[in-house]
Amino acid sequence: MSNPNSEPLELFDHAATRPAARVQELRAQIERHNSLYYQQAAPEISDYEFDTLLRELADLEQAHPELASADSPTRRVGGKPLEEFAPATHIVPMQSLDNTYSPEELREFVTRVRKLAEGRSIHFTVEPKVDGVAISLLYENGRLVRAATRGDGVTGDDVTQNVLTISNIPHRLRGEVPAQIEVRGEVYLPKAIFALLNTERDEEGLPPFANPRNAAAGSIKQLDPAVTASRRLAAVFYGTGAWTGPQPAKGREMFATLQNWGLPISERILQGSDEDSVNAAVLTMGDMRHNFAYETDGAVVKLDSLALRREFGSTAKAPRWAIAYKYEPERAETKLLDITIQVGRTGTLTPVAELQPVFVSGSTVSRATLHNEEEIQRKDIRIGDTVLIEKAGEVIPAVVAVKKDLRNGSEKVFEMPRHCPSCGSPISKDGVAWKCTSHSCGAQVRRRIEHFASKHAMDIEGLGEALVAQLVDASLLKGIADIYTLDREALLRLERMGEKSASNLLAAIEESRSRPLWRLLNGLGIPHVGVTSARDLASHFHTLDALASATGDTLLTIHSIGEIMATAIYTWFQAPENRTLLESLRATKLNFGEGDTPSAPTDQRLQGTTWVLTGTLSISREEAAETIRRLGGKVTGSVSKKTTHLLAGEDAGSKLDKARELEIPIIDEAAFAQLCASQQES
Ligand code: IVH
């Protein structure tokens, strides 16, 4: 067909294709700079230039909604909060598993499967049962197009925006990929982060998460992706749903394929072929699981052959070829002797259970946080009760239940004090927390200084809880800034302070003056600001002064900063007492960031760790050592009490034995790779 008027058509064509090409180009550039920045720590452009690219892309996508895409870098962070989640129907429904609780039941399962196999040879994999939130990712031609929760197994919630903020989930798969695949796994909150998150929540008057699974569920179901991004979730994958084209023959090959595509898989996958070896593998997994980054509540035993899986099929509820073995939660019974109050650095009064010491999950517990008054009332915990203790997320001791049948009437109902137990000031309610209303409260001052000097902040070795208390009591420290005016004579007048300790402390304080800006930002104790957001703020603003004069809107453009945090940061920098604090710190010549290399993310999270490497690794020892050093850790040749981690490859020998003897955490290569990957990207 001829076109009598070619001009308008040409114009129309231009309008449609030029933005499309530019959008493609911008996405490619942004992905490249993201990788240079996060993976290679070698940025080529400034943050400002990066933001300009991102803004241009966002503007184009807004003007041309038909060009929007779920995996655009504009969706990765800072997307607008959603009103509600859209439903997402899985192509292949997500099944659940039957549970077993004893070696006998597990034997019965293996016997059942063997009968179904009618003489054919069978093998099983034994995997950790990750206690997180089930997730299904849909990749089309290698591109992540949708992420959905399990829901009722048929239809879940579309949580794509949030999943895009999880740093170990690839937006694109590597290598040869099927046209369409659903990948199944678990989103989890690393155990170590769970511990930090709950401490922060207590301090902020928010109810604690009972365990990492609840925390992960709460984080993935956030309507604001910035909140999800700030929670530092991770994911691990163990299965598939829809899969077009050829598939591997075995579960083990499926794992290797997922890994080759760039997806994180379980840290350890064991094997078994009969009742005895499967039971033994489940027992071994039970020991290993405490070293995994995620919490596990069991092991999953699966038939390895995918053809036999298809043949054996499912019952109405669960597949016949897989079963979960649930480990018993490690619990201990003890007496609640008293409930004391701890005053936090922002004044939060946290009730603490003082317990008859009891051994649980590898250590003796004599105190457990009770979080807040409402938590005590909800569980009806009374002084004198017999209580059950568990480690929430295998880390934090928690009172999980009260044995009410053992009460004899002498138990006392706990009453929150009406005044701050440290300084006597009135207290006021903030969320579920009671807070001391005085800013100069001695306990708060102590906690603020402890936090400032802690490992995750200015890392001043030797300035721990006991010494801070001593220095505050002697009026040598009234606030953070006083740390930098401490002198030798005053220190030597303290009890138990010798020449050597005083010199070491002064040297550690001196060393801390040049710490990177993010450490100072974390150390200042700005509400809601933790390590991740402090790093993001430092790499965006470069100097404390630039941050101090930032508006709420500017703050909101940053990775992991949502509205609540932006307001908290802005308000903190406006407060006169904080301005005074910053001026005092400036006068002590602390690094306010002026000398920092622009936008180079400094990842020092292995700082303070000392590693020994042993056995055969798939990478060279030197490469592994280099990674540890780059992340701030030390590497030494022999295992001693100073060793904090042993990286053990295949056929590890005497060093492994020595590490076991000294109860030093043993990290295998998979766990090490995961540790380094998540470290680099955070
Ligand atoms: S396989 C058809 N493997 O446990 C088999 N599930 O209680 C589907 N889970 O819904 C699951 N770790 O969310 C499988 N290694 C693992 C797992 C695992 C955790 C979860 C999953 C499942 C639930 C069943």
Side-chain angles (χ1 to χ4, degrees):
M1 251 221 286
S2 70
N3 179 9
N5 184 359
S6 65
E7 221 182 4
L9 187 62
E10 203 187 310
L11 261 180
F12 171 80
D13 256 2
H14 259 91
T17 55
R18 248 195 291 123
R22 181 66 184 148
V23 161
Q24 289 293 329
E25 189 179 37
L26 283 167
R27 284 182 188 155
Q29 281 181 10
I30 291 168
E31 288 297 355
R32 182 170 161 269
H33 289 301
N34 255 338
S35 158
L36 284 169
Y37 183 95
Y38 285 109
Q39 269 91 44
Q40 301 164 44
E44 285 178 2
I45 58 173
S46 70
D47 283 1
Y48 178 76
E49 286 167 306
F50 181 84
D51 285 345
T52 310
L53 292 177
L54 203 61
R55 239 190 332 265
E56 188 188 342
L57 177 59
D59 289 346
L60 274 173
E61 284 175 349
Q62 202 167 20
H64 302 274
E66 75 282 4
L67 298 177
S69 154
D71 74 342
S72 169
T74 52
R75 303 279 183 97
R76 194 177 291 216
V77 287
K80 288 256 175 307
L82 300 168
E83 297 293 317
E84 60 176 15
F85 294 109
T89 301
H90 306 295
I91 302 172
V92 171
M94 290 176 82
Q95 288 182 299
S96 193
L97 293 170
D98 281 333
N99 291 324
T100 53
Y101 299 90
S102 68
E104 291 70 39
E105 284 177 283
L106 192 54
R107 280 177 182 280
E108 283 164 20
F109 163 75
V110 174
T111 311
R112 238 176 7 247
V113 173
R114 208 211 328 278
K115 281 207 184 114
L116 288 171
E118 294 172 331
R120 286 168 290 182
S121 119
I122 50 171
H123 291 279
F124 295 91
T125 54
V126 177
E127 309 162 19
K129 185 169 188 309
V130 184
D131 202 10
V133 178
I135 196 92
S136 180
L137 306 182
L138 176 61
Y139 284 92
E140 283 177 352
N141 298 314
R143 208 165 60 96
L144 177 60
V145 294
R146 191 186 72 184
T149 59
R150 182 172 180 280
D152 60 7
V154 175
T155 303
D157 284 327
D158 183 328
V159 288
T160 313
Q161 299 263 356
N162 290 345
V163 163
L164 288 169
T165 69
I166 299 177
S167 66
N168 73 343
I169 292 187
H171 295 187
R172 261 179 196 285
L173 300 179
R174 288 194 302 248
E176 261 188 50
V177 290
Q180 188 180 56
I181 186 163
E182 283 179 313
V183 184
R184 266 83 199 253
E186 214 78 3
V187 166
Y188 65 92
L189 187 76
K191 290 188 279 194
I193 304 217
F194 168 71
L196 287 177
L197 187 65
N198 257 2
T199 316
E200 282 169 20
R201 287 178 74 84
D202 281 351
E203 197 63 49
E204 286 162 15
L206 298 169
F209 291 119
N211 50 49
R213 176 170 37 78
N214 287 0
S219 305
I220 202 75
K221 296 286 280 286
Q222 286 290 329
L223 290 165
D224 182 353
V227 177
T228 313
S230 72
R231 295 269 171 89
R232 289 198 271 163
L233 296 170
V236 58
F237 295 92
Y238 45 68
T240 57
W243 185 331
T244 55
Q247 291 181 30
K250 300 212 151 71
R252 275 175 290 170
E253 291 162 18
M254 183 267 308
F255 273 117
T257 309
L258 296 185
Q259 196 167 34
N260 288 338
W261 286 337
L263 289 157
I265 60 165
S266 308
E267 292 181 45
R268 294 303 287 260
I269 297 155
L270 306 178
Q271 293 172 45
S273 55
D274 57 16
E275 287 78 352
D276 286 344
S277 55
V278 166
N279 259 309
V282 165
L283 275 185
T284 310
M285 186 65 77
D287 285 337
M288 285 177 167
R289 69 195 186 110
H290 301 295
N291 294 327
F292 298 159
Y294 36 74
E295 188 173 30
T296 47
D297 60 345
V300 181
V301 180
K302 292 179 191 165
L303 185 62
D304 201 24
S305 157
L306 300 193
L308 291 183
R309 287 187 191 179
R310 278 189 289 272
E311 186 182 321
F312 299 167
S314 306
T315 64
K317 212 179 124 254
R320 290 194 184 85
W321 46 265
I323 205 144
Y325 179 94
K326 295 289 217 100
Y327 297 115
E328 243 176 68
E330 291 177 43
R331 285 188 168 181
E333 199 177 292
T334 191
K335 273 254 179 239
L336 175 61
L337 304 176
D338 198 4
I339 296 178
T340 55
I341 298 290
Q342 187 166 309
V343 184
R345 69 187 148 90
T346 64
T348 303
L349 272 52
T350 307
V352 177
E354 304 291 344
L355 304 162
Q356 181 103 53
V358 65
F359 192 80
V360 56
S361 300
S363 69
T364 301
V365 170
S366 55
R367 304 185 88 203
T369 173
L370 294 170
H371 301 292
N372 56 61
E373 189 183 22
E374 284 173 23
E375 189 83 358
I376 300 177
Q377 287 165 352
R378 193 172 61 77
K379 291 183 179 156
D380 187 19
I381 299 172
R382 301 184 191 175
I383 299 167
D385 268 337
T386 302
V387 290
L388 291 177
I389 307 295
E390 237 180 57
K391 284 206 182 143
E394 299 177 69
V395 193
I396 312 174
V399 174
V400 287
V402 174
K403 296 207 115 183
K404 293 187 184 150
D405 51 326
L406 295 183
R407 281 185 180 158
N408 61 17
S410 69
E411 296 76 18
K412 283 204 300 256
V413 173
F414 168 75
E415 272 190 47
M416 203 71 188
R418 294 283 147 242
H419 292 92
C420 170
S422 167
C423 69
S425 302
I427 59 175
S428 68
K429 198 88 191 260
D430 178 8
V432 291
W434 283 99
K435 287 194 153 193
C436 166
T437 49
S438 160
H439 188 74
S440 52
C441 161
Q444 284 182 59
V445 170
R446 280 206 302 275
R447 299 274 173 264
R448 282 201 289 270
I449 298 172
E450 280 165 20
H451 172 74
F452 183 84
S454 71
K455 276 226 148 350
H456 294 290
M458 296 297 268
D459 194 16
I460 305 177
E461 206 176 327
L463 193 52
E465 217 174 296
L467 184 56
V468 170
Q470 223 183 338
L471 289 164
V472 171
D473 288 347
S475 300
L476 291 175
L477 290 185
K478 294 198 177 71
I480 292 170
D482 298 337
I483 296 174
Y484 295 94
T485 55
L486 281 174
D487 67 42
R488 177 179 299 272
E489 282 67 44
L491 282 178
L492 286 173
R493 280 197 294 274
L494 291 175
E495 255 180 63
R496 298 183 304 276
M497 177 66 76
E499 285 279 352
K500 181 116 202 291
S501 313
S503 302
N504 287 347
L505 179 65
L506 290 170
I509 292 173
E510 197 48 43
E511 203 186 310
S512 76
R513 280 184 211 274
S514 52
R515 293 265 188 265
L517 179 60
W518 70 263
R519 288 188 165 274
L520 173 61
L521 290 180
N522 186 31
L524 290 173
I526 304 167
H528 304 280
V529 173
V531 174
T532 314
S533 34
R535 283 170 190 270
D536 286 350
L537 288 168
S539 61
H540 187 92
F541 289 101
H542 310 312
T543 69
L544 194 67
D545 293 321
L547 170 61
S549 52
T551 62
D553 282 347
T554 316
L555 288 163
L556 275 175
T557 62
I558 301 169
H559 178 71
S560 82
I561 311 283
E563 251 168 59
I564 294 175
M565 214 192 286
T567 310
I569 296 167
Y570 181 78
T571 313
W572 193 91
F573 280 103
Q574 300 310 308
E577 68 268 23
N578 295 330
R579 297 221 162 231
T580 313
L581 166 67
L582 292 181
E583 285 325 304
S584 325
L585 288 176
R586 190 196 304 282
T588 71
K589 305 256 175 328
L590 226 56
N591 172 26
F592 271 28
E594 282 80 6
D596 283 2
T597 324
S599 73
T602 19
D603 193 336
Q604 294 288 301
R605 270 193 289 155
L606 292 187
Q607 188 158 46
T609 59
T610 303
W611 293 68
V612 172
L613 315 184
T614 184
T616 314
L617 302 167
S618 69
I619 51 173
S620 75
R621 288 254 182 108
E622 203 28 60
E623 235 176 300
E626 190 48 48
T627 306
I628 294 169
R629 288 192 206 103
R630 186 165 41 77
L631 295 173
K634 268 195 232 154
V635 179
T636 62
S638 58
V639 177
S640 74
K641 277 196 191 135
K642 290 203 174 137
T643 311
T644 60
H645 296 78
L646 182 85
L647 171 57
E650 298 290 321
D651 303 315
S654 63
K655 286 181 187 171
L656 183 62
D657 297 340
K658 179 96 191 268
R660 284 206 176 111
E661 197 181 301
L662 295 175
E663 296 186 347
I664 290 162
I666 295 156
I667 311 289
D668 66 18
E669 198 175 341
F672 178 68
Q674 207 164 26
L675 188 72
C676 298
S678 60
Q679 303 275 352
Q680 277 164 6
E681 284 165 23
S682 50

